[in-house]
Every structure is written in C-alpha cells, then in structure tokens.
Amino acid sequence: MPNSNSKFHCNHRGAREAGRQELVSRSLQSAQHCLDEQDFGTAYAHYLLVLHLAPELKTSVKEMFQFTLFKWAEELDSLARVPDLFNCYEQALELYPNDEVICNSMGEHLFRMGFRDEAAGYFHKAVKLNPDFADAKENFYRVANWLVERWHFIMLNDSKRNLTYLKAIENAVHSGCKSVLDIGTGTGILSMFAKKAGASSVYACELSKTMYGLARDVVAANNMEREIKLLHLKSLDIEIPKHIPERVSLVVTETVDAGLFGEGIVESLIHAWEHLLLQPK
C-alpha cells in the first residue's frame, strides 16, 4: 500500500509538472502571437504568467519581456493611464529588481510627467547598476541640471567663500559648539567642515530628494557616513528626540543667495534657534 501511495503522488506530481510546462509553452506562443498583432497589453499579461509559473525562464525571456513592457507602457502613456503604467513598472521591477534598462525606462516616464526627483532616483540606480550605461548616465546628468541649482556649482568653486565658512565653523567649534545642525546641507560641505573641525555630533537636513542622495554619496566618499547623520527632512519638521537626540549648539546654512526667502530659510532658522538650540545659561 505505501508503494501504491508513493506511485500515486509521483504520478500526480509528474502530471502537474507536465501541465505547468504545457501552460508555459502555450502562454509563450500566445505572447508572440499578440506581439505580432501589436496587442501589447495581452502579450504583457502572458509574459507575467510565464514568469510566475516558470521563474527559471527569467533570463531567456528577459529581452522580449522588456520589449513588451516598453511598448505597453508607451500605449498606456498615450492613453493617460498613469496608474496602470506605474503598476506595470512596479511588477517588472519586482521580477527584475536590478535591471538597469527597466530602471532607466521608469525614470524616463517619471521625468516626462514632471516627477524629476523620483526620475533622478531611478536614473541614479541604473547608473549604479551599470556605470557604462550611456543612456542612463545622460538622463541622470540631464535631470541633475534641472534639480541642482546653478548657484550650487558657483558656491562649490568659490574657494574664498568656502575658506571663510571653514574658518567661521572652526572658530565656533573650538569655542565650545560641539553639536551642529546643517540646514539645507546640499552637497554636505558644511557638515564635513564641522566634523573636521572637531564637532562631536553633526546633523544635516535636506528637503530635496536629489540633493539628499548626492549628499549621502559625497559624505560616504569622504568616509564620514557614520559621523554625520543625514535627514531627508525640512528643518521645521525635525523633532527631538525622534530625529536627533539633542539640542544643538550651532546651526550652519549655506542658503544665502537669491533663493533666501523662496526656501523659507528665515523661518527655518528661527525654528532652529527656538527648538533645536541649547538654551543660553
């Protein structure tokens, strides 16, 4: 009897496997037929089924899946079916989370729709996955030009200005200001000045997602990622001890160009002095 049960289960598994292979084969054929008929939505659905039933085929069907995804996404875009478009890309990235081509394509759609911060994130990921991917590199630099204001480049190359900031921060830290908050950190240069000057605790906040990501990369490149706490927050939203564990003794900021009032820096500084700074003795 045990042998009979074993044989039954074996036959059942064999039949189920044969059924799976048959369904996968038919779905692949149907997907190709739909592509021939330019029915990209149905073809995309067939490929999703194939990848769900046979994940071992991910590599072999990858190029056709990408082609189908992109064609279907173009159609959804033209029909203004934005939620469906993004849903397709989310499904695709669940299947191929480290695919630079899909990341880049997702970024292109986001950029065209005006979601530039989000687009930059996908372009950046694509470049990290494949540093030689020319399209992603071009897209990332293009969106960076939209997001990184020109005055950032001017300030970073103004050695006299930077030296003045460095000396001022050094004087403040050496006089006893050991905890520092950098508001609107940008590239993180003032936070790094503070840490190099000897501050024991350095916190930095940045509202722009792109600049926050850039600051993380710059700080990491200077081996300070464990010494400077970066927050993707507006300074008005920082809470103690939720985001930082203490009131700080020094606030620094580099947002003093023509964008002064547009970025609400005055309110930010008042808020910082009232809620984040150490109370005078």
Side-chain angles (χ1 to χ4, degrees):
M1 203 60 151
N3 290 337
S4 177
N5 285 336
S6 176
K7 185 176 181 181
F8 171 78
H9 289 303
C10 184
N11 290 338
H12 181 67
R13 284 196 300 270
R16 189 168 58 182
E17 175 61 20
R20 183 185 74 92
Q21 291 181 3
E22 176 67 17
L23 183 54
V24 168
S25 177
R26 288 187 178 184
S27 294
L28 286 171
Q29 292 174 11
S30 296
Q32 185 58 56
H33 175 73
C34 290
L35 288 176
D36 294 339
E37 298 295 320
Q38 297 191 347
D39 182 359
F40 300 116
T42 307
Y44 176 75
H46 279 297
Y47 276 119
L48 285 182
L49 178 60
V50 168
L51 291 167
H52 175 71
L53 291 172
E56 68 273 12
L57 297 180
K58 283 176 68 174
T59 302
S60 60
V61 303
K62 180 179 175 179
E63 286 190 17
M64 290 306 299
F65 175 78
Q66 287 176 341
F67 173 81
T68 306
L69 167 67
F70 300 154
K71 286 293 186 181
W72 180 224
E74 288 176 9
E75 193 171 320
L76 291 172
D77 193 9
S78 68
L79 296 170
R81 291 172 55 182
V82 177
D84 291 332
L85 185 154
F86 288 142
N87 184 51
C88 287
Y89 272 98
E90 287 174 3
Q91 292 171 332
L93 287 169
E94 284 181 7
L95 292 165
Y96 298 97
N98 295 318
D99 187 282
E100 70 273 19
V101 179
I102 295 176
C103 286
N104 182 65
S105 181
M106 175 69 154
E108 289 175 338
H109 282 286
L110 286 165
F111 183 78
R112 284 197 294 270
M113 293 176 188
F115 301 107
R116 291 170 183 155
D117 264 328
E118 292 80 0
Y122 281 98
F123 293 145
H124 189 227
K125 181 178 179 180
V127 172
K128 279 197 165 184
L129 289 167
N130 182 0
D132 297 322
F133 188 9
D135 287 350
K137 287 167 68 174
E138 182 179 344
N139 284 331
F140 180 69
Y141 295 142
R142 178 160 56 100
V143 76
N145 284 331
W146 284 88
L147 294 170
V148 182
E149 292 87 345
R150 297 297 180 185
W151 52 267
H152 271 292
F153 300 106
I154 296 172
M155 288 194 302
L156 288 173
N157 288 285
D158 188 340
S159 57
K160 183 177 180 181
R161 174 194 178 96
N162 293 337
L163 184 59
T164 301
Y165 267 107
L166 175 60
K167 288 182 177 179
I169 291 171
E170 285 179 340
N171 289 338
V173 172
H174 294 163
S175 67
C177 297
K178 296 298 185 180
S179 55
V180 181
L181 172 65
D182 180 4
I183 293 178
T185 191
T187 58
I189 187 170
L190 298 188
S191 296
M192 292 188 290
F193 283 170
K195 196 63 195 177
K196 287 181 178 179
S200 56
S201 303
V202 179
Y203 313 101
C205 63
E206 175 57 57
L207 185 59
S208 165
K209 185 176 180 180
T210 299
M211 293 307 300
Y212 169 73
L214 179 60
R216 288 183 62 183
D217 288 343
V218 172
V219 168
N222 285 273
N223 299 315
M224 292 187 180
E225 64 269 32
R226 295 187 178 182
E227 302 176 67
I228 298 173
K229 183 174 182 178
L230 290 166
L231 302 166
H232 183 211
L233 284 173
K234 189 176 182 180
S235 62
L236 291 166
D237 296 331
I238 297 176
E239 297 178 18
I240 300 170
K242 181 178 179 181
H243 301 114
I244 61 176
E246 61 183 326
R247 292 178 182 270
V248 298
S249 52
L250 176 66
V251 171
V252 296
T253 184
E254 205 171 8
T255 317
V256 291
D257 77 319
L260 176 64
F261 299 103
E263 295 197 10
I265 197 67
V266 173
E267 292 89 344
S268 296
L269 287 172
I270 291 172
H271 171 80
W273 280 102
E274 291 180 346
H275 299 285
L276 300 174
L277 285 172
L278 289 166
Q279 298 301 311
K281 297 179 179 178

